[in-house]
Amino acid sequence: MAKYHWQSQNVKQSGVDDMVLLSKITEEAIVENLKKRYTDDYIFTYIGPVLISVNPFKQMPYFTDREIELYQGAAQYENPPHIYALTDNSYRNMLIDGENQCVIISGESGAGKTVAAKYIMGYISKVSGGGAKVQHVKDIILQSNPLLEAFGNAKTVRNNNSSRFGKYFEIQFSRGGEPDGGKISNFLLEKSRVVSQNDSERNFHIYYQLMEGATAQQKDALGIMTPDYYFYLNQSGTYKVDGTNDSKDFHETMEAMQVIGIPGDIQAQVLQIVAGILHLGNISFIEAGNYGQVESMDLLAFPAYLLAIDPNRLQEKLTSRKMDSKWGGKSESIDVTLNREQATYTRDALAKALYARLFDYLVEAINKAIQKPHEEFSIGVLDIYGFEIFQRNGFEQFCINFVNEKLQQIFIELTLKAEQEEYVQEGIKWTPIQYFNNKIVCDLIENKLNPPGVMSVLDDVCATMHAKGEGADGTLLQKLQAAVGTHEHFNSWNSGFVIHHYAGKVSYDINGFCERNRDVLFPDLIELMQSSEFDFMRSLFPENLNTDKKSRPTTASSKIKRQANDLVNTLMKCTPHYIRCIKPNETKRPKDWEESRIKHQVEYLGLRENIRVRRAGFAYRRVFTKFLQRYAILTAETWPSWRGPEQQGVLHLLRSVNMENDQYQMGHTKIFVKNPESLFLLEEMRERKFDTFARTIQKAWRRYIARRKYEQMREEASDILYNSKERRKNSINRNFVGDYLGLEQKPELRQFLAKRERVDFADSVNKFDRRFKSIKRDLILTPKGIYLIGREKVKKGPEKGQIKEVLKRKLEFGSIDGVSLSTRQDDFFILHETQYDSLLESNFKTEFLSLLSKRYEDATKRKLAISFTDRLEFRVKKEGWGGGSSRVVVFQNGAGDQAQLKPAGKTLTITIGNGLPKSSKPTRKSGPQSLGGGRNERADRAHQNGANKMSRRPKQSDITYSSPHKQSRPPQAAPPKLGFQKATRVSTQNRNNQGNMDFLNVPDGGMSGKQRKQSIGQRPPPAPKPQPRPQGPRCRALYQYVGQDTDEISFEFNDVFDLVKEDPSGWWTGRIRGKEGLFPGNYVEKI
């Protein structure tokens, strides 16, 4: 079956798949191409190996199992652009090269990064194998998404499911490519969202999920009210999100906790903390004589209950703080009462700390569930908050945009800068391409000295600020102006400063910068939480407060700077793959296209420069050693290893596949291949080599398995007749084939079957009418029933006089009453059916009965009734006025192996000589065995139940139904074996060539096998080598025989040849035309 893809059905060409092929390389041309494709629902486009993804803001139809199957193992150019192609490429590269991979997903907030990461994880989960343990790891990897989204994502103005934290998810693999572990690194959770949100935004999803999805009992236990009741939720006035089902998501979140292995009691305490934070936010303060007091003591009780702490201690820690005082070399601790603003700040600090530590616990729980003792291979997926600009941009936006700036730097380093530098180092002819390097912006933010960056100045100010730090932000602005005020990418304004990022200018509001950067949790609050009655609550605050802390506390900016640089180092050690996500509009509606917004993103993502470097550069480069290792198998000189200079070995390989000189350049240590198509050619040839070897091994194995299977089938079939019926000398050891008609090549017969109806057995049989006249019928057995097909002349119409196939009878299994046979060695049997019976004769009755018994039992759930007697009675079809009377068949002992028929009135007498005893069992062939595993060359291509997928097609002229003369046939004692009911059924072409060319057959048939057979059939047979005539016994062929295995010989009627060895099994050894092999002894006479 040809595979069709979701895009291949569309005749309309939508732009270009790979923008390297654009005729004009301008921002306008890029935008226009993306627009064409987006309008036609093609959201993916390539720039070489880089994938551009435009957010469609709707579910697309091409993320099903069908697409997974289509992209698995396929080269990039074979199918339309897709995230599955990039993922499959990274997965296969990991296995082939033994190198860790990473997928860097970048783009602004709302561009579709999180969804892209989900599709990557889903694809890897589907295509990688593994048992129960691996499946458990896959489940955790997939279930980590809903859990971390619930606690780490929120609705913002720009995105309804915005990641408010960054994560780098490493999926770890065994050497066999099975995901058997993983690790999540999380960055900078936006804690401030817990206590305040901008207009039209929401807090983290988990709060709304809890309110919508919790049971009445849970709501009662947690004191859950409507969202507008809580201060931490009602500041923005937004509680619902279009297209989001918070109740359903809550159940998914709880299920995810279960799969990850978080115990039930801990799950309950997780929800208690979430609810406790909400209730904490409702504690308000009033000013009483310059001191802050809790406004309503009633509101203290419930959060204290949920957090299992004493309400009085909670009140004390919110309104006062212990301060260390040093005087005269002595240190003492004093209680300082806080004012209203400080108390509010302390309450919010506790809420943020609780939430952040809870989030860290969940990440750690996932890591513990999937950690493995040692790393082998991994694919990392970076899903990090996108570049964002809001109306008010604070410290969090500053950190988020800094991380995005670092990611852009990696992209520039690896795709633009490093690539061009590599060409120069390797001596490749190259014209440099100009691009904007954003390292200057990264240095502005993170430099330590000369000049100090924004983060260094911020840390210095925080180190000297007091407890609350009034005025610290103003000091920061002054110091920034002095340190970096003249920098070309920095400006200041009355409420803060502006940085010219790679993605545009962002104005940052300085208010709260120092406080959020310091990120100190006062010891009083840690002490308070360590007094909780719950072990789990205490475990979230493991600090030892007794140790003296002399070092400067870690600030949020230094932490994010360290994490960003660690991340860059991790990514640099991997082979990177890029997904550049583009957000087409701010309306979050499908098909909306904001031209200026897209153009801006295309500019700042550097897509034009990316295309130019890609077009002028080389798609593939490899050090000589690795190239030789990978493609050594292509030539005899390079396999298993090349003896000589590596560069010469690489050149030898390239010439062996006739690669054009302009398609590659040789560097000092690497080979550079220009176009992906040239690489695909190498890969295809390599695959073909491996495929040939694999087929050879498979074929040998399948022949061995088939031999055992068919011997077993033959023995099972023989059991039906055991002790009940005499056996023929040759047929007892005959192999089963199933389809003796070659139905795949006979549409005129297949027309009576359903489109994909499987054929178990097909043969031409003799059917006897009420007057015992014999007529040909094609007997076909399928899982649906038995078909008897005959031929008739068309009496009228345009086809008048032509012979046409006609379905004479179809028997359902339910209507069959049983089968009757004689006890002698004949081939007759009667099918008893509800309406009337059929007397048939078939050389392959044993095989037919065996398959019929299995199908009958499958369909009716009872065993087929088979009777053996030498007086058989059958009912004939009712015709005209006469009744449907019965006929009798009597079997008598006679001479010879051929049945003699004598009809007399309503009785048919059949005389036949004695066959092998009724207790005979099949014996295995003795003599030399073929390398592939003996007698079953045909069997290895057969269906599991015996029907052949690729039977030989007899010539039309070989089988006639209206010819007046009788065809000669061999005696019944010597039926042709393995698919030849009549000697004349084999075409001369097949007879001459089949025996010695079978090694070319494709296992399990298929279209390529069919074409290959046809081409083989056209080759002339090799001329036989003259052999000196040996002295010894000789024999003459009584019938034609065509060998079906490599250890058998073929001969024509009347051929005379040498008899090398006789064997009691009936399989003799002979020599004809210089070839020695086996043949059935009862086909010849000794001379």
Side-chain angles (χ1 to χ4, degrees):
M1 280 292 293
K3 283 181 182 172
Y4 294 98
H5 190 254
W6 47 275
Q7 292 193 359
S8 66
Q9 303 299 325
N10 296 285
V11 179
K12 181 181 175 186
Q13 177 65 30
S14 187
V16 295
D17 283 356
D18 191 334
M19 291 197 285
V20 170
L21 304 173
L22 283 173
S23 52
K24 273 186 175 178
I25 311 176
T26 61
E27 264 91 10
E28 291 76 15
I30 295 168
V31 172
E32 184 57 32
N33 188 63
L34 291 174
K35 182 180 181 181
K36 273 186 200 168
R37 295 178 64 73
Y38 179 75
T39 308
D40 292 333
D41 281 342
Y42 302 160
I43 63 169
F44 297 120
T45 310
Y46 291 132
I47 297 178
V50 177
L51 182 70
I52 312 300
S53 171
V54 184
N55 190 347
F57 291 107
K58 65 178 181 180
Q59 182 58 49
M60 303 307 281
Y62 35 77
F63 294 97
T64 66
D65 288 349
R66 186 178 166 206
E67 277 71 46
I68 287 174
E69 186 186 336
L70 193 74
Y71 282 90
Q72 190 175 351
Q76 180 179 306
Y77 73 98
E78 286 181 40
N79 296 307
H82 202 292
I83 194 167
Y84 288 165
L86 178 135
T87 310
D88 189 73
N89 190 26
S90 65
Y91 179 64
R92 282 190 296 138
N93 282 0
M94 176 191 76
L95 295 177
I96 290 165
D97 299 330
E99 293 174 357
N100 291 341
Q101 312 286 307
C102 65
V103 182
I104 301 174
I105 311 172
S106 57
E108 61 185 54
S109 183
K113 297 182 299 300
T114 299
V115 176
K118 279 195 240 179
Y119 281 129
I120 290 170
M121 288 190 244
Y123 181 85
I124 289 171
S125 175
K126 287 273 187 183
V127 301
S128 52
K133 181 178 180 291
V134 169
Q135 189 55 49
H136 179 62
V137 170
K138 287 182 184 179
D139 290 342
I140 293 171
I141 288 170
L142 295 177
Q143 289 291 345
S144 67
N145 279 320
L147 181 60
L148 294 181
E149 277 189 24
F151 284 85
N153 287 28
K155 178 197 181 321
T156 68
V157 178
R158 303 177 74 95
N159 183 0
N160 287 346
N161 186 33
S162 178
S163 299
R164 308 317 297 164
F165 71 107
K167 75 171 177 201
Y168 182 62
F169 201 138
E170 281 180 86
I171 306 171
Q172 294 164 350
F173 295 85
S174 66
R175 298 206 168 266
E178 297 163 340
D180 57 355
K183 180 184 170 189
I184 298 177
S185 307
N186 63 305
F187 312 98
L188 190 76
L189 178 73
E190 188 189 27
K191 294 184 290 188
S192 60
R193 184 165 294 273
V194 175
V195 299
S196 68
Q197 309 87 41
N198 294 333
D199 287 346
S200 302
E201 297 195 351
R202 294 205 312 178
N203 207 318
F204 292 102
H205 293 326
I206 185 61
Y207 291 112
Y208 310 93
Q209 290 180 9
L210 181 63
M211 285 172 193
E212 294 292 327
T215 62
Q217 187 181 353
Q218 283 176 316
K219 287 181 180 178
D220 188 53
L222 299 173
I224 297 298
M225 317 284 274
T226 55
D228 55 357
Y229 169 75
Y230 299 102
F231 175 67
Y232 282 167
L233 302 183
N234 63 22
Q235 297 168 58
S236 69
T238 303
Y239 309 114
K240 297 275 184 190
V241 176
D242 291 341
T244 300
N245 185 336
D246 288 317
S247 175
K248 177 172 160 283
D249 291 349
F250 177 72
H251 293 111
E252 285 182 11
T253 301
M254 298 310 291
E255 186 189 336
M257 281 203 246
Q258 193 67 38
V259 170
I260 284 155
I262 297 174
D265 58 328
I266 302 297
Q267 289 180 34
Q269 289 181 42
V270 166
L271 296 182
Q272 278 187 234
I273 293 175
V274 171
I277 290 169
L278 285 180
H279 289 287
L280 202 58
N282 279 8
I283 300 172
S284 55
F285 303 93
I286 53 172
E287 196 84 36
N290 290 333
Y291 296 125
Q293 283 185 3
V294 174
E295 188 173 5
S296 170
M297 299 300 286
D298 296 342
L299 293 174
L300 272 171
F302 212 79
Y305 157 72
L306 290 173
L307 300 174
I309 52 178
D310 181 73
N312 293 324
R313 289 199 70 181
L314 175 60
Q315 181 201 2
E316 177 195 334
K317 297 301 181 186
L318 291 179
T319 53
S320 66
R321 184 183 309 153
K322 275 186 182 163
M323 299 281 285
D324 288 335
S325 171
K326 288 187 179 179
W327 187 259
K330 291 184 180 179
S331 178
E332 60 177 319
S333 187
I334 55 170
D335 282 332
V336 175
T337 310
L338 306 177
N339 61 26
R340 180 184 166 190
E341 189 184 344
Q342 289 169 329
T344 304
Y345 172 80
T346 305
R347 176 201 69 193
D348 290 348
L350 177 59
K352 288 190 288 186
L354 273 167
Y355 195 86
R357 292 180 183 222
L358 177 60
F359 187 79
D360 288 342
Y361 162 77
L362 294 173
V363 172
E364 193 53 39
I366 296 167
N367 284 339
K368 278 183 181 169
I370 53 176
Q371 69 182 359
K372 57 185 277 193
H374 59 281
E375 289 187 25
E376 289 169 291
F377 298 141
S378 70
I379 296 178
V381 181
L382 181 65
D383 173 22
I384 208 155
Y385 17 57
F387 185 89
E388 56 189 28
I389 307 173
F390 292 128
Q391 197 163 0
R392 182 194 173 278
N393 302 289
F395 177 72
E396 282 80 8
Q397 278 67 48
F398 173 72
C399 292
I400 286 169
N401 292 342
F402 163 66
V403 174
N404 275 273
E405 201 77 56
K406 293 291 285 185
L407 291 182
Q408 176 68 3
Q409 192 183 0
I410 289 183
F411 185 78
I412 288 169
E413 281 283 335
L414 297 179
T415 61
L416 302 175
K417 182 169 179 279
E419 186 161 337
Q420 297 196 70
E421 286 174 356
E422 185 177 37
Y423 295 147
V424 174
Q425 287 166 8
E426 288 285 329
I428 302 294
K429 293 173 187 171
W430 180 254
T431 306
I433 287 165
Q434 298 303 312
Y435 59 90
F436 168 66
N437 190 339
N438 73 329
K439 185 177 185 299
I440 188 170
V441 184
C442 294
D443 290 345
L444 165 65
I445 296 171
E446 65 175 342
N447 246 13
K448 287 189 176 178
L449 296 166
N450 298 328
V454 174
M455 285 183 168
S456 294
V457 174
L458 177 59
D459 283 352
D460 284 343
V461 172
C462 288
T464 56
M465 68 187 269
H466 298 294
K468 177 63 183 69
E470 291 89 346
D473 293 331
T475 307
L476 170 63
L477 195 54
Q478 289 171 6
K479 291 202 169 187
L480 283 175
Q481 188 60 43
V484 292
T486 56
H487 196 286
E488 59 182 311
H489 289 271
F490 180 91
N491 295 108
S492 58
W493 58 295
N494 55 358
S495 297
F497 59 93
V498 177
I499 288 183
H500 298 233
H501 288 283
Y502 77 99
K505 293 182 182 179
V506 183
S507 302
Y508 294 104
D509 188 335
I510 200 83
N511 188 32
F513 251 67
C514 293
E515 176 196 308
R516 285 175 179 172
N517 181 50
R518 205 164 66 138
D519 196 30
V520 175
L521 185 63
F522 298 113
D524 300 66
L525 297 179
I526 296 171
E527 198 179 297
L528 171 68
M529 292 314 301
Q530 287 178 347
S531 70
S532 171
E533 292 172 20
F534 293 140
D535 292 340
F536 174 63
M537 301 275 184
R538 294 199 297 274
S539 71
L540 298 178
F541 294 85
E543 289 91 342
N544 184 355
L545 296 175
N546 297 323
T547 56
D548 287 337
K549 282 192 178 176
K550 292 183 179 176
S551 60
R552 183 193 285 190
T554 307
T555 60
S557 65
S558 60
K559 186 178 175 184
I560 195 67
K561 185 162 71 173
R562 188 186 72 249
Q563 286 179 329
N565 287 310
D566 288 347
L567 176 63
V568 167
N569 291 335
T570 303
L571 296 176
M572 288 291 203
K573 290 174 188 168
C574 303
T575 303
H577 304 264
Y578 303 97
I579 301 175
R580 312 288 266 168
C581 295
I582 288 179
K583 186 178 184 184
N585 60 61
E586 278 299 332
T587 61
K588 307 188 196 78
R589 288 206 304 261
K591 299 286 186 183
D592 277 10
W593 183 266
E594 295 177 20
E595 193 91 10
S596 58
R597 176 171 297 283
I598 311 291
K599 191 177 178 194
H600 176 62
Q601 292 173 76
V602 165
E603 282 174 0
Y604 77 64
L605 289 170
L607 299 191
R608 184 169 63 94
E609 290 81 3
N610 193 194
I611 292 171
R612 289 181 64 203
V613 170
R614 195 79 218 156
R615 227 158 128 162
F618 296 83
Y620 173 87
R621 74 282 322 267
R622 265 291 179 279
V623 293
F624 296 145
T625 317
K626 283 205 170 186
F627 187 86
L628 273 171
Q629 282 171 357
R630 179 139 187 85
Y631 300 110
I633 199 168
L634 295 182
T635 69
E637 293 81 2
T638 51
W639 180 263
S641 58
W642 170 260
R643 291 173 185 163
E646 289 176 343
Q647 193 167 10
Q648 293 303 313
V650 172
L651 279 169
H652 172 77
L653 279 171
L654 295 173
R655 285 167 188 155
S656 74
V657 298
N658 299 318
M659 191 179 287
E660 299 287 338
N661 288 339
D662 61 353
Q663 287 301 302
Y664 65 88
Q665 279 196 50
M666 303 292 285
H668 301 312
T669 63
K670 291 180 182 179
I671 167 73
F672 291 80
V673 179
K674 194 159 187 63
N675 291 321
E677 290 75 15
S678 305
L679 180 66
F680 299 144
L681 167 75
L682 284 165
E683 283 294 316
E684 215 167 276
M685 295 184 76
R686 181 178 179 272
E687 287 290 326
R688 215 175 291 160
K689 282 278 187 186
F690 275 113
D691 189 54
T692 306
F693 297 145
R695 284 179 188 279
T696 306
I697 296 165
Q698 278 178 343
K699 188 170 183 182
W701 174 248
R702 281 177 178 161
R703 290 173 84 176
Y704 168 70
I705 292 298
R707 180 184 175 193
R708 283 174 44 186
K709 179 182 146 197
Y710 279 93
E711 281 172 356
Q712 183 186 347
M713 278 181 68
R714 201 169 58 206
E715 285 165 16
E716 286 173 1
S718 178
D719 289 343
I720 296 173
L721 309 183
Y722 186 67
N723 280 339
S724 299
K725 187 172 175 67
E726 293 174 358
R727 304 300 305 276
R728 290 191 177 283
K729 289 175 188 171
N730 188 54
S731 70
I732 193 165
N733 286 319
R734 187 183 61 76
N735 289 326
F736 290 176
V737 171
D739 180 4
Y740 298 95
L741 296 178
L743 285 185
E744 283 220 348
Q745 308 264 359
K746 291 199 171 179
E748 68 272 17
L749 294 178
R750 283 215 68 108
Q751 65 175 314
F752 302 109
L753 279 56
K755 192 171 183 182
R756 289 188 178 84
E757 192 169 348
R758 183 175 180 168
V759 175
D760 294 335
F761 180 86
D763 183 36
S764 182
V765 301
N766 293 323
K767 191 246 179 204
F768 294 84
D769 64 9
R770 61 177 59 239
R771 295 177 187 83
F772 302 117
K773 281 189 178 177
S774 165
I775 189 162
K776 287 286 180 193
R777 291 283 185 265
D778 286 335
L779 173 72
I780 300 173
L781 172 67
T782 78
K784 293 187 177 179
I786 299 170
Y787 299 81
L788 281 166
I789 300 167
R791 269 79 178 162
E792 285 182 0
K793 265 188 184 180
V794 180
K795 293 180 181 174
K796 54 184 177 182
E799 296 180 333
K800 184 179 177 181
Q802 292 184 24
I803 304 290
K804 284 282 180 185
E805 287 71 16
V806 179
L807 180 61
K808 290 291 187 179
R809 196 170 187 198
K810 183 180 178 186
L811 303 178
E812 306 286 344
F813 294 119
S815 68
I816 296 172
D817 297 328
V819 181
S820 296
L821 301 95
S822 77
T823 63
R824 302 191 173 275
Q825 63 162 325
D826 62 278
D827 290 324
F828 292 86
F829 61 94
I830 296 172
L831 279 174
H832 297 285
E833 200 252 356
T834 312
Q835 293 180 344
Y836 61 94
D837 307 329
S838 298
L839 172 60
L840 305 171
E841 181 190 19
S842 169
N843 285 341
F844 309 123
K845 63 184 179 309
T846 310
E847 180 177 355
F848 172 71
L849 279 176
S850 165
L851 294 166
L852 175 61
S853 298
K854 287 177 184 172
R855 287 295 179 202
Y856 183 86
E857 193 170 341
D858 289 344
T860 64
K861 307 304 179 203
R862 61 179 186 270
K863 289 200 175 292
L864 178 67
I866 304 175
S867 60
F868 299 89
T869 175
D870 287 344
R871 189 180 187 281
L872 304 178
E873 190 172 323
F874 69 98
R875 290 171 299 122
V876 295
K877 185 178 181 182
K878 182 178 179 181
E879 285 185 358
W881 296 100
S885 59
S886 61
R887 299 288 182 270
V888 175
V889 185
V890 177
F891 293 85
Q892 293 179 353
N893 193 18
D897 293 334
Q898 191 166 1
Q900 304 297 324
L901 281 60
K902 188 178 177 183
K906 293 187 177 183
T907 303
L908 173 66
T909 304
I910 299 175
T911 314
I912 192 166
N914 292 328
L916 295 175
K918 295 177 183 178
S919 57
S920 300
K921 282 276 197 180
T923 57
R924 297 188 179 186
K925 179 177 73 178
S926 61
Q929 296 292 314
S930 69
L931 194 63
R935 302 220 35 76
N936 290 306
E937 169 57 28
R938 287 292 295 276
D940 71 350
R941 285 172 286 132
H943 287 287
Q944 290 180 358
N945 54 10
N948 195 332
K949 267 183 154 181
M950 288 296 299
S951 300
R952 291 188 189 84
R953 183 180 182 179
K955 288 184 184 174
Q956 289 294 334
S957 58
D958 288 340
I959 305 171
T960 57
Y961 291 85
S962 54
S963 176
H965 67 274
K966 290 185 179 178
Q967 295 181 1
S968 63
R969 69 178 190 182
Q972 304 254 353
K977 68 188 263 304
L978 208 72
F980 304 95
Q981 187 227 354
K982 295 287 174 278
T984 54
R985 277 223 191 145
V986 187
S987 69
T988 311
Q989 275 182 187
N990 280 346
R991 191 165 63 235
N992 289 338
N993 292 288
Q994 192 67 29
N996 61 356
M997 299 300 283
D998 276 351
F999 69 93
L1000 282 173
N1001 288 343
V1002 180
D1004 296 332
M1007 286 307 294
S1008 57
K1010 193 185 298 179
Q1011 289 173 354
R1012 188 175 290 172
K1013 279 190 179 175
Q1014 288 169 359
S1015 67
I1016 292 166
Q1018 292 158 8
R1019 296 178 194 164
K1025 292 180 183 176
Q1027 291 285 341
R1029 179 171 176 170
Q1031 300 299 312
R1034 296 175 69 86
C1035 55
R1036 177 183 286 109
L1038 297 173
Y1039 318 104
Q1040 176 208 48
Y1041 180 70
V1042 178
Q1044 281 113 58
D1045 212 337
T1046 51
D1047 60 352
E1048 294 177 23
I1049 57 172
S1050 303
F1051 45 78
E1052 301 292 331
F1053 169 68
N1054 237 4
D1055 275 353
V1056 176
F1057 56 93
D1058 301 323
L1059 176 59
V1060 178
K1061 180 185 173 186
E1062 294 181 53
D1063 193 277
S1065 70
W1067 286 96
W1068 295 0
T1069 305
R1071 186 185 296 110
I1072 184 169
R1073 290 185 285 276
K1075 181 181 177 183
E1076 190 173 297
L1078 299 170
F1079 66 93
N1082 52 357
Y1083 273 56
V1084 302
E1085 63 177 2
K1086 289 202 277 185
I1087 54 173

